[in-house]
Amino acid sequence: EKPLHIHAAVGIGVVCLVIGLPLWWKTTEVYRVSLPYSDIDQLAQYKIQYGVDVTVISFDEQMVGVDLAALSKHLMESLDRNPIPGDISSRYRTSVKEKTSQESSLLSSCTSLSDLDAKLKEVFKQDHNQYYVILLPQTSQLKVNAPEIGLNRNIFFTKTENDLKQFAGQIAQTLKEVVVREGSVLKAYEAAKGSRNQKFYRLQPDKERMRTVRSHPGYDITFTLVNPQPDIIDAQWDIQHAVRAYLEPLTKQLKKYATVNIQSQVLYFTGLMTKPKTDTQKKEYYYTTKELPLIINPIEANLGSPASNNPELNFLVYVPTRDEHPLHIRDDTGMNLASNAFLSPRWGGIYIYNIPSPPQNASLPVRPSIDMRKVMEIFLFQIRLLFNLLYQGSTSVNLMPVGNKVVADWELDGWLRTHCVENLATATATLQSLAQLLGQISNIVINDDIGQEVQSAVQSIKESYQHLKEGFLEKAFLASRGAIISSEKAFFDPSLLELLYFPEDQKFAIYIPLFLPISFPVFSSLYKACKWFRERKVLTKAKQE
């Protein structure tokens, strides 16, 4: 019977070691698709460079070929001077030429700069990577005393000084600070990376960076009419017509780059929590700038929010009660603000709309109509500020009124450039965080969907870098938007958290109680079997001798 027991122990040991152990290893193996870790590490070493093409066209007969060559040289020197600090840089490609006969006749046929700006767009067939500096003669009726930027990509100058170097410096300053807005691009990049360039920020809080809404594939805008006394003043507003007339041009311009969802509501709110101050001499009520933040909190709690991951912007029209009419906002000097509205960074704005109180013998409620033109002008200005579409710098320039266009072409270019850089920095940081997480926890499941999203994000980032360097802003932005969408899908994929993950040292506390009772008799039996076979071999050899 002993040989039978020995062979049974050997069979059980072979089954456990040869079949059971590999089977357990294979069935508990974590599926991890291969990711481009080396490419993700290289993305952190990339330096962003955006290209800007500038063509200078001289309509000035006094500027001959020699002057234009000198202007081209000084312009390149001015544009290359004082580069942007950090991992981001600009690259200007310039050309200076004289006007053609077609362009000359075009100038003589126009009666205004806006007319010339529109016709030049048709002639040049402008796109996102070309800006035109138009040098107007002093004898022209369209000459300008200060640089003027059109609605398209034309910047108009009139040479008033003989110093070409100083004139080139003026052109370069206008291009870098106003049109391209290198400062805003750097701020967006540093904010997305989570770092701050002390040389640029000068250790002061930056209003533009704090106010601007972060880049996102979509935005939710809610217009709210806050009416605290509908039984006395039931204000009426035609918000649908106002959105179609004033806001649809903006949504159409941004349609290719971001989804803007617009909704409206009427809120019958009992009043502001903070009581306004009273001016007995003027018989009016007012809030100071320090009291404005206290107004938002009680109203915001009653606004509600849509079920969306998009950033939400709220714009409120508040109709004061009859007991607090008229209600104004006063600045630090004690003067009433002409707009009677204020802006909250990354949140929206509130417009206090005073409606004359009904007389005591009036039939209640009265139903006055709100002037939506006045309301939408204020809200559009605030939207342009929140989207960082409005230039507010120190460089002295004249800007053509945008009118119904809402956003000028060069402003849209700046928006695309800024958000493209921000998307690239955010997507790169997200991929690096994901790679670090997967490297630290080796048993996280990485399915094929995550691998595809990571590969797509890396490829989109590389494409965006290339397009941005060549100056194709639209292609660069769309690629960067695809990169940030793919990177966030990979990072927040639910499959990454479907299992419980234990540190490597804690796995021993789980597996030892399971395998020790099984492995001890198996190895003990194998040891006895080996000993028996060895003794049997010795006995057999002794018998043969």
Side-chain angles (χ1 to χ4, degrees):
E1 294 181 359
K2 190 172 184 179
L4 182 62
H5 293 165
I6 295 299
H7 286 87
V10 172
I12 294 174
V14 170
V15 171
C16 291
L17 296 178
V18 178
I19 299 177
L21 188 61
L23 183 63
W24 167 80
W25 184 269
K26 188 63 178 178
T27 54
T28 57
E29 183 183 15
V30 175
Y31 180 76
R32 291 170 66 91
V33 71
S34 178
L35 297 181
Y37 292 103
S38 59
D39 291 343
I40 294 175
D41 292 337
Q42 290 178 1
L43 292 178
Q45 308 300 325
Y46 282 8
K47 292 190 176 181
I48 298 178
Q49 184 182 71
Y50 53 89
V52 181
D53 294 324
V54 180
T55 300
V56 180
I57 303 177
S58 175
F59 286 81
D60 194 345
E61 300 288 348
Q62 297 181 359
M63 296 189 67
V64 295
V66 177
D67 291 338
L68 293 179
L71 178 64
S72 177
K73 177 184 177 182
H74 294 314
L75 182 59
M76 283 301 301
E77 292 175 351
S78 300
L79 290 173
D80 294 337
R81 194 180 298 123
N82 299 326
I84 303 175
D87 298 332
I88 185 170
S89 62
S90 58
R91 180 187 177 190
Y92 291 89
R93 297 177 288 264
T94 62
S95 64
V96 181
K97 64 179 184 179
E98 295 183 3
K99 67 182 183 304
T100 63
S101 57
Q102 179 187 8
E103 294 165 354
S104 180
S105 61
L106 190 66
L107 176 63
S108 59
S109 64
C110 295
T111 58
S112 64
L113 275 183
S114 59
D115 188 19
L116 177 61
D117 180 53
K119 291 184 177 179
L120 286 175
K121 180 178 181 180
E122 298 177 0
V123 172
F124 296 150
K125 298 180 180 179
Q126 297 169 333
D127 54 23
H128 289 283
N129 65 321
Q130 188 71 45
Y131 296 95
Y132 293 88
V133 176
I134 309 300
L135 306 182
L136 300 173
Q138 296 184 11
T139 57
S140 174
Q141 60 176 350
L142 303 180
K143 69 176 183 179
V144 293
N145 296 324
E148 184 158 345
I149 304 178
L151 296 182
N152 303 300
R153 297 176 180 87
N154 304 313
I155 307 102
F156 300 96
F157 288 86
T158 298
K159 181 176 175 294
T160 58
E161 298 181 2
N162 295 326
D163 190 350
L164 287 177
K165 186 175 182 179
Q166 185 175 357
F167 184 53
Q170 184 185 20
I171 296 176
Q173 182 183 13
T174 304
L175 287 171
K176 298 177 72 172
E177 296 185 5
V178 183
V179 178
V180 180
R181 298 180 67 180
E182 292 184 354
S184 296
V185 175
L186 178 61
K187 293 173 186 177
Y189 178 74
E190 296 288 348
K193 286 186 62 178
S195 59
R196 295 189 61 177
N197 189 302
Q198 301 296 345
K199 178 181 177 181
F200 185 83
Y201 286 110
R202 303 180 188 275
L203 303 176
Q204 295 293 329
D206 183 73
K207 292 183 179 180
E208 178 184 307
R209 185 174 62 89
M210 297 171 61
R211 177 183 62 226
T212 304
V213 182
R214 296 291 298 274
S215 177
H216 200 274
Y219 302 93
D220 295 331
I221 297 180
T222 303
F223 294 98
T224 304
L225 173 61
V226 182
N227 195 351
Q229 289 182 336
D231 56 330
I232 299 176
I233 302 176
D234 188 11
Q236 306 294 314
W237 67 340
D238 192 355
I239 187 63
Q240 294 183 352
H241 174 73
V243 168
R244 286 195 300 266
Y246 297 96
L247 207 58
E248 273 194 4
L250 173 64
T251 58
K252 288 181 179 179
Q253 286 181 277
L254 300 180
K255 184 178 180 180
K256 294 175 62 177
Y257 317 113
T259 302
V260 181
N261 303 314
I262 302 175
Q263 57 185 1
S264 63
Q265 62 181 348
V266 178
L267 179 63
Y268 298 112
F269 189 55
T270 56
L272 300 177
M273 183 177 295
T274 305
K275 293 295 181 181
K277 297 180 180 179
T278 305
D279 189 336
T280 56
Q281 295 182 352
K282 296 183 178 180
K283 296 182 180 180
E284 63 183 24
Y285 302 87
Y286 66 93
Y287 285 109
T288 62
T289 55
K290 295 181 179 180
E291 297 169 334
L292 296 180
L294 303 176
I295 300 177
I296 297 178
N297 291 338
I299 294 181
E300 186 178 20
N302 294 273
L303 288 179
S305 59
S308 172
N309 293 325
N310 298 334
E312 184 183 4
L313 297 177
N314 295 280
F315 297 95
L316 281 66
V317 179
Y318 178 76
V319 179
T321 63
R322 182 165 61 176
D323 300 333
E324 298 175 354
H325 176 275
L327 181 61
H328 296 280
I329 300 175
R330 292 187 177 181
D331 57 19
D332 295 335
T333 62
M335 300 296 295
N336 293 341
L337 293 180
S339 63
N340 211 28
F342 67 95
L343 179 77
S344 179
R346 296 188 180 183
W347 184 85
I350 296 180
Y351 175 33
I352 299 178
Y353 191 92
N354 287 301
I355 295 178
S357 297
Q360 296 295 333
N361 56 353
S363 177
L364 300 178
V366 295
R367 293 181 171 85
S369 297
I370 293 177
D371 186 356
M372 297 307 299
R373 180 176 180 273
K374 185 187 300 184
V375 171
M376 295 307 294
E377 283 180 351
I378 292 176
F379 286 161
L380 278 177
F381 179 80
Q382 294 178 342
I383 290 174
R384 284 167 57 84
L385 280 176
L386 292 170
F387 278 27
N388 199 20
L389 293 168
L390 188 64
Y391 170 73
Q392 287 189 318
S394 58
T395 303
S396 177
V397 293
N398 295 326
L399 306 178
M400 285 187 184
V402 293
N404 293 332
K405 196 173 183 178
V406 182
V407 181
D409 290 347
W410 64 273
E411 291 176 331
L412 182 59
D413 291 347
W415 186 84
L416 291 175
R417 186 181 297 107
T418 301
H419 284 70
C420 177
V421 169
E422 182 181 348
N423 289 342
L424 288 175
T426 304
T428 302
T430 302
L431 290 178
Q432 289 176 332
S433 300
L434 179 62
Q436 183 181 7
L437 174 66
L438 298 178
Q440 291 177 348
I441 306 178
S442 59
N443 58 339
I444 288 184
V445 177
I446 307 176
N447 58 34
D448 294 332
D449 293 337
I450 296 177
Q452 292 176 1
E453 294 294 349
V454 172
Q455 293 281 2
S456 176
V458 171
Q459 184 63 29
S460 297
I461 290 176
K462 292 180 178 180
E463 293 178 359
S464 182
Y465 272 112
Q466 186 62 31
H467 291 318
L468 193 62
K469 184 177 181 180
E470 296 173 356
F472 298 106
L473 290 178
E474 182 174 322
K475 294 181 179 179
F477 174 82
L478 294 177
S480 70
R481 187 184 67 174
I484 196 170
I485 292 175
S486 297
S487 63
E488 291 187 351
K489 279 185 178 180
F491 189 85
F492 295 104
D493 193 284
S495 64
L496 293 176
L497 300 177
E498 286 181 349
L499 303 176
L500 293 177
Y501 301 106
F502 300 95
E504 296 292 335
D505 56 344
Q506 294 186 11
K507 291 182 181 178
F508 291 100
I510 300 173
Y511 289 129
I512 287 178
L514 173 65
F515 288 105
L516 189 59
I518 301 175
S519 59
F520 182 77
V522 171
F523 283 108
S524 177
S525 300
L526 288 176
Y527 172 74
K528 291 181 180 180
C530 293
K531 184 178 179 181
W532 183 81
F533 280 113
R534 187 167 56 251
E535 292 176 351
R536 183 180 179 185
K537 185 177 180 181
V538 172
L539 291 174
T540 304
K541 186 176 180 180
K543 288 181 179 180
Q544 291 177 353
E545 292 178 353

